[in-house]
Amino acid sequence: MVPGERTQTGLRVEKNLLKVLKGLAEYLDMSLGDLVEGITLHAFEGRVPFSSETLEKIGQLKSVYGLTMTADDAHRLVDR
């Protein structure tokens, strides 16, 4: 275990993206916070955070929750 200090945050996330993240966290049997930390730490190191099996599950969750956004949309999202 690595010591660290976690803090509560008021992070705003697109609704369908959050549904996919919550579904994935449930599928992986981890908390949403642990999932986000893992994704972020992998990204900071230029590493791929998901196996091909997990990517397939993400595709299923995106379909179920209607997530059509891509990485190209990341900096162009506007609130409705």
Side-chain angles (χ1 to χ4, degrees), residues 18-36 54 57 61 65:
L18 181 59
K19 288 179 181 180
V20 171
L21 287 169
K22 285 181 174 182
L24 183 59
E26 178 70 24
Y27 171 75
L28 296 173
D29 194 29
M30 62 174 46
S31 72
L32 179 60
D34 285 347
L35 176 63
V36 171
T54 304
K57 186 63 175 181
L61 290 165
Y65 293 115

Side-chain angles (χ1 to χ4, degrees), residues 3-74:
E5 182 179 346
R6 290 188 168 126
T7 187
Q8 200 64 32
T9 179
L11 184 70
R12 287 173 43 110
V13 179
E14 196 279 330
K15 182 173 75 170
N16 291 335
L17 177 57
L18 181 59
K19 288 179 181 180
V20 171
L21 287 169
K22 285 181 174 182
L24 183 59
E26 178 70 24
Y27 171 75
L28 296 173
D29 194 29
M30 62 174 46
S31 72
L32 179 60
D34 285 347
L35 176 63
V36 171
E37 285 176 347
I39 292 169
T40 305
L41 290 170
H42 277 78
F44 284 174
E45 295 180 14
R47 296 171 51 191
V48 178
F50 303 116
S51 68
S52 58
E53 177 185 316
T54 304
L55 288 172
E56 286 181 36
K57 186 63 175 181
I58 291 169
Q60 293 170 357
L61 290 165
K62 286 172 66 174
S63 179
V64 166
Y65 293 115
L67 179 61
T68 58
M69 292 175 47
T70 67
D72 291 332
D73 300 321

